[in-house]
């Protein structure tokens, strides 16, 4: 049986036999999505081949978010073994779509997204989440030094080799990791929270008919971990795909700190901002590595055009004196004149 036929069988068993299927443009993941329509009903099909994807973390986090009255899509039906999920369709009004077409709504939408983070961070998620359909529990991994280093090392694993830096690869990787560990110490000053990890305007849907933070629809959270509250704020405000004005970024950090204090989860502004920039630098280094890997391994060159924006974010995060050593190392390992951005150069 082909995968297409397996989907048809799954839809028939779920009460959607004969429904029309329209592919939805994908992104960097290995999952596929289709919009399913039948007699006025709409749903979203997630197709996650089980040899490369596991839908159980998505189900577990979805269930938890909905228990907190947050707008993750309802799970209508699922086949865990085959990696098929039928989900509530939250529509087409992504934050990115609205901001692009109605720039005057940008601040309002970003405030709504920050307010949701404040609500989420006021909760203490359990380390293990029940997983409906699978009758198991999902352990939320800690976003600890080991995982942060593993992600940051995508820069030395993929990007530096693309620059031709291979003669001292092992020494470079070791030196790079040693520079991060003192910086990660800044992450120990704040309580750990649920980190969704892909919290940006392409994954947020505007649902104006709902109330409060439920107006923010959530799409992508299967990689959730337990980590520092600044990470999702960085993901939102240092977007690899669109420019966020530095003034808006600073205003939203201020808004988060004020609202978090009102919610009974105050932060020291100085240590929080340092953690924000540490995570911003780590995330930028990781993304540069990922975008290079998407081209070199997965033959997806379009992400290379985004690398200059991510480099500018990385440089912005390294501006403080706490980052002098890392900034100096990067200037030598990847000098500006060698920061390639075209497929032909790799």
């Amino acid at each position: 049986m082909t995968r297409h036929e397996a989907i048809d069988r799954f839809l028939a068993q779920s009460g959607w036999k004969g429904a029309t299927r329209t592919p939805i443009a994908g992104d960097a993941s290995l999952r596929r999505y289709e919009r399913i329509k039948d007699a006025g009903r709409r749903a979203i099909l997630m197709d996650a081949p089980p040899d490369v994807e596991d839908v159980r973390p998505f189900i577990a986090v979805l269930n938890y978010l909905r228990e907190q009255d947050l707008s993750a899509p309802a799970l209508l039906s699922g086949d865990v073994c085959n990696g098929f999920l039928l989900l509530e369709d939250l529509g087409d009004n992504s934050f990115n779509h609205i901001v692009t077409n109605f720039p005057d709504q940008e601040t309002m939408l970003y405030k709504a997204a920050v307010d949701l983070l404040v609500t989420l961070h006021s909760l203490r998620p359990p380390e293990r989440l029940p997983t409906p359909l699978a009758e198991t529990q999902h352990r939320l991994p800690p976003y600890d030094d080991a995982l942060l280093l593993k992600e940051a090392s995508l820069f030395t694993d993929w990007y530096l080799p693309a620059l031709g830096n291979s003669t001292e690869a092992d020494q470079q990787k070791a030196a790079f990791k040693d520079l991060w560990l003192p910086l990660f110490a800044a992450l120990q000053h704040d309580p750990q929270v649920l980190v969704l990890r892909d919290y940006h305007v392409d994954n947020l849907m505007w649902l104006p008919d709902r109330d409060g933070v439920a107006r923010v629809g959530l799409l992508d959270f299967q990689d959730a971990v337990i980590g520092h509250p600044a990470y999702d704020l960085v993901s939102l405000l240092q977007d690899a795909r669109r420019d966020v004005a530095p003034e808006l970024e600073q205003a939203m950090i201020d808004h988060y700190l004020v609202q978090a204090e009102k919610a009974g989860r105050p932060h020291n502004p100085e240590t929080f901002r340092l953690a924000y920039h540490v995570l911003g630098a780590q995330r930028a280094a990781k993304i540069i590595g990922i975008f290079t890997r998407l081209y070199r391994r997965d033959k997806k060159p379009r992400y290379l055009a985004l690398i200059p924006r991510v480099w500018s974010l990385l440089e912005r995060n390294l501006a403080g004196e706490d980052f002098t050593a890392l900034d100096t190392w990067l200037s030598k390992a990847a000098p500006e004149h060698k920061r390639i951005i075209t497929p032909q150069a790799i």
Side-chain angles (χ1 to χ4, degrees):
M1 180 184 299
T2 67
R3 190 125 185 107
H4 187 89
E5 292 169 338
I7 291 173
D8 280 340
R9 185 177 68 174
F10 165 69
L11 292 175
Q13 293 172 342
S14 302
W16 292 73
K17 183 177 182 180
T20 60
R21 297 166 47 186
T22 305
I24 298 174
D27 201 351
S29 81
L30 296 172
R31 298 179 302 278
R32 292 178 54 257
Y33 294 91
E34 296 181 2
R35 174 161 277 138
I36 310 301
K37 294 182 179 180
D38 176 56
R41 297 184 299 164
R42 300 201 326 178
I44 299 295
L45 171 74
M46 177 194 291
D47 174 10
D51 57 331
V52 292
E53 293 278 349
D54 183 357
V55 297
R56 289 174 296 179
F58 181 89
I59 295 172
V61 179
L62 177 153
N63 184 62
Y64 173 77
L65 294 172
R66 289 185 60 81
E67 285 181 344
Q68 314 311 316
D69 296 322
L70 300 177
S71 292
L75 177 61
L76 306 178
S77 183
D79 180 343
V80 173
C81 293
N82 286 308
F84 300 140
L85 298 180
L86 197 62
L87 304 167
E88 175 188 8
D89 187 347
L90 296 182
D92 297 305
N93 284 328
S94 73
F95 276 37
N96 194 15
H97 173 77
I98 297 174
V99 169
T100 299
N101 290 281
F102 305 98
D104 60 309
Q105 298 191 35
E106 181 179 48
T107 299
M108 180 273 292
L109 290 174
Y110 274 89
K111 275 189 175 180
V114 170
D115 289 342
L116 187 147
L117 289 180
V118 172
T119 297
L120 185 63
H121 297 168
S122 68
L123 306 171
R124 297 185 183 275
E127 291 185 2
R128 295 183 180 275
L129 301 175
T131 307
L133 298 184
E135 298 183 354
T136 61
Q137 289 195 329
H138 171 60
R139 178 179 176 270
L140 290 165
Y143 216 176
D144 55 16
D145 288 359
L147 182 53
L148 289 164
L149 276 175
K150 180 180 179 181
E151 291 182 344
S153 295
L154 292 169
F155 182 91
T156 50
D157 291 343
W158 290 95
Y159 185 71
L160 288 190
L163 301 184
N165 297 354
S166 57
T167 57
E168 300 178 352
D170 291 341
Q171 296 94 319
Q172 281 186 324
K173 290 179 181 180
F176 190 63
K177 289 182 178 180
D178 288 343
L179 290 167
W180 284 105
L181 288 173
L183 295 173
F184 291 156
L187 308 180
Q188 307 306 315
H189 301 292
D190 294 279
Q192 301 290 283
V193 300
L194 180 66
V195 177
L196 302 182
R197 291 179 80 187
D198 285 303
Y199 194 79
H200 54 78
V201 293
D202 286 309
N203 286 334
L204 303 178
M205 309 300 294
W206 186 236
L207 308 171
D209 293 336
R210 303 187 186 187
D211 297 322
V213 295
R215 294 176 298 170
V216 181
L218 302 168
L219 294 185
D220 195 347
F221 39 73
Q222 66 280 339
D223 295 323
V225 293
I226 300 296
H228 194 279
Y231 187 89
D232 279 342
L233 197 61
V234 171
S235 183
L236 176 69
L237 301 176
Q238 297 193 4
D239 199 320
R241 293 170 175 81
R242 73 178 302 269
D243 294 324
V244 177
E247 297 80 8
L248 178 61
E249 179 184 10
Q250 294 307 313
M252 291 302 102
I253 295 172
D254 292 342
H255 182 69
Y256 176 88
L257 291 170
V258 169
Q259 296 305 312
E261 184 170 9
K262 289 181 179 179
R265 299 295 294 272
H267 300 277
N268 178 293
E270 182 177 351
T271 57
F272 185 87
R273 289 177 185 276
L274 176 57
Y276 178 92
H277 290 298
V278 169
L279 291 169
Q282 184 270 353
R283 184 172 178 273
K286 170 181 68 173
I287 290 173
I288 290 171
I290 289 173
F291 285 172
T292 308
R293 183 178 66 185
L294 283 167
Y295 172 66
R296 290 174 67 87
R297 187 190 70 183
D298 303 329
K299 310 305 179 188
K300 296 180 178 180
R302 66 189 180 98
Y303 295 95
L304 295 180
L306 302 176
I307 288 179
R309 177 183 288 114
V310 185
W311 260 112
S312 69
L313 295 171
L314 178 54
E315 291 164 356
R316 189 193 305 175
N317 286 301
L318 297 179
E321 61 182 17
D322 297 275
F323 301 91
T324 300
L326 179 57
D327 188 33
T328 300
W329 185 92
L330 285 168
S331 296
K332 293 178 180 178
E336 187 171 354
H337 70 277
K338 292 185 66 178
R339 294 173 186 176
I340 51 177
I341 61 172
T342 60
Q344 293 78 14
I346 297 184

